[in-house]
Amino acid sequence: MTQRDSSTPPWHGRHVTLDGMRGIAALAVALFHYNISQAPHGYVAVDFFFALSGFVLCKTYLPRWQAGLTTWAFMKQRVIRLYPLFLVGIVVTTLSAISNHFTGQGDVYSYGMMARALPFNLLMLPSPVTNTLFPLNVPAWSLFFELVANLGLLLVLFRLPRIALLALTMAAAWWFSLAVLANDGGNLGAVWHQVGISMVRTTMSFTAGVLLARLPLPTVRRAGWLGIACLLAIAAMLMANLASVPDAYYDLVCSIVVSPLLVWLGARCEPSRVLAPAAWFLGEISYAVYAVHWALMEPLRYFKDDLGYDPVLMGIVYLACCVALGWAAVRWVDVPMRAKIGAMLRERALRALPLKESAATN
């Protein structure tokens, strides 16, 4: 959450529909991991996230890159943006894994596995000593590939014309389709033997988002029913259970067609003024919810699975806890840490400036 002029609402000038959809998608991922029956296709949200990220980063950084932004400076900004909440996620999921040894939830994670995987995962790198890339926080695989895509954005995608972006998206979609059909579904990417398809999946959706950002946008986004429809549509896409449609075909349509379409539509409309604050808030905490929700999964499953509490009630409680922990992580860790890192980098740049000026005059 960033500092703004107190005279204007924090969502002023934002793509509020996109914020709201991102928040709903993060909650759907969390619900899928907690109780798959309540969000059976929640994992498709990852494709929406990649498409949205490609769109937003292209809109934000393409002019800066054209003005001289270096790859190093860009990646430094991206790591500063992503790492604090990534670190929170690793810490709380590790604490949750340790707690399983004392709560009767079983030896789900061995201490040896934690010791082997943590040194790599703390550096935001996949663990080469486990089958799962990020065993203590499994959804973090997509955050690693987000950084890979960010690097490719400046090195490759910004240099391609729109026709080449379309060709790359279509080629990746074809390859992704073969993998989804072979696996009877699109829930792919978290383990080492799927690293290739993880890269293809990321490339497909992220490049689609970059391509959408290169298309004309309206100067005015009207608030109304279309923005509300986008919010409802992404919830329906991730939570629907169409027994008559095979999972593989459903996932392909959602990943290749519906997710980019929702980004395109969401960038052209806004929800009603009544819904704007909630949509903005969900967007602000969406990354945090995605980063920390794995930690709450096993502890709260105890109430549902072992004590027999109502699954719908516990799903609501679980999401409420994810929102609360996500908000706390943003408020007390992410914002202060990013501000401190930013201040340190600015101070370092100011100290280096006289040295550069002196070298230039000599």
Side-chain angles (χ1 to χ4, degrees):
M1 300 177 183
T2 55
Q3 297 294 326
R4 296 174 180 270
D5 184 349
S6 59
S7 63
T8 60
W11 52 88
H12 180 73
R14 294 284 298 260
H15 285 275
V16 183
T17 302
L18 296 179
D19 284 338
M21 287 196 290
R22 184 171 64 240
I24 292 170
L27 293 176
V29 171
L31 191 58
F32 165 74
H33 288 139
Y34 180 70
N35 187 353
I36 188 173
S37 65
Q38 293 176 335
H41 294 277
Y43 52 84
V44 177
V46 172
D47 303 292
F48 173 79
F49 290 145
F50 282 137
L52 179 58
S53 178
F55 175 86
V56 171
L57 292 181
C58 182
K59 279 293 180 187
T60 304
Y61 286 99
L62 180 57
R64 302 180 192 180
W65 177 75
Q66 292 169 335
L69 177 69
T70 65
T71 301
W72 172 250
F74 171 71
M75 292 304 296
K76 196 160 54 173
Q77 291 179 37
R78 296 306 296 153
V79 171
I80 292 171
R81 173 66 185 95
L82 294 174
Y83 188 74
L85 287 176
F86 172 87
L87 178 62
V88 172
I90 291 293
V91 169
V92 296
T93 52
T94 301
L95 293 176
S96 177
I98 293 173
S99 74
N100 288 331
H101 294 261
F102 306 99
T103 59
Q105 293 299 296
D107 199 10
V108 180
Y109 304 95
S110 70
Y111 291 126
M113 183 276 286
M114 294 184 207
R116 292 191 300 271
L118 268 177
F120 300 97
N121 287 174
L122 286 171
L123 295 174
M124 216 171 180
L125 296 172
S127 164
V129 296
T130 56
N131 181 49
T132 305
L133 304 182
F134 292 85
L136 294 172
N137 193 7
V138 176
W141 72 267
S142 64
L143 304 180
F144 169 75
F145 280 97
E146 168 72 16
L147 275 181
V148 174
N150 292 174
L151 181 60
L153 181 66
L154 261 67
L155 293 181
V156 179
L157 300 183
F158 277 167
R159 306 172 191 274
L160 297 179
R162 286 184 291 186
I163 188 64
L165 293 173
L166 177 60
L168 180 58
T169 301
M170 293 178 65
W174 175 78
W175 193 348
F176 179 67
S177 299
L178 295 179
V180 171
L181 292 172
N183 287 273
D184 296 321
N187 188 16
L188 304 167
V191 292
W192 273 107
H193 69 270
Q194 295 173 352
V195 164
I197 195 58
S198 302
M199 193 67 245
V200 169
R201 184 180 185 182
T202 305
T203 300
M204 174 189 74
S205 297
F206 192 87
T207 306
V210 174
L211 176 60
L212 292 174
R214 300 275 289 272
L215 301 177
L217 275 175
T219 54
V220 177
R221 299 187 299 275
R222 298 188 180 278
W225 67 267
L226 185 55
I228 299 173
C230 286
L231 300 178
L232 295 174
I234 194 164
M237 177 183 77
L238 301 173
M239 300 179 69
N241 186 16
L242 303 181
S244 60
V245 180
D247 286 347
Y249 293 105
Y250 184 90
D251 292 347
L252 285 174
V253 170
C254 291
S255 298
I256 298 175
V257 179
V258 180
S259 290
L261 178 61
L262 286 176
V263 172
W264 185 82
L265 287 173
R268 285 160 171 75
C269 61
E270 298 295 353
S272 65
R273 292 182 180 180
V274 174
L275 291 178
W280 167 81
F281 175 76
L282 289 177
E284 287 291 285
I285 64 168
S286 59
Y287 173 38
V289 168
Y290 189 83
V292 306
H293 75 269
W294 195 263
L296 300 173
M297 186 176 63
E298 290 300 333
L300 287 175
R301 273 183 179 168
Y302 171 76
F303 295 93
K304 172 175 66 75
D305 297 339
D306 297 345
L307 299 183
Y309 282 36
D310 180 73
V312 175
L313 173 63
M314 287 312 304
I316 295 171
V317 171
Y318 171 71
L319 292 182
C321 291
C322 289
V323 168
L325 181 57
W327 176 85
V330 171
R331 176 67 178 82
W332 302 109
V333 179
D334 184 45
V335 170
M337 186 177 290
R338 285 199 284 138
K340 185 172 183 178
I341 294 172
M344 289 172 56
L345 292 176
R346 287 192 295 272
E347 183 179 349
R348 181 181 299 177
L350 288 174
R351 288 201 304 265
L353 189 59
L355 297 178
K356 291 181 180 179
E357 291 176 348
S358 176
T361 56
N362 291 334

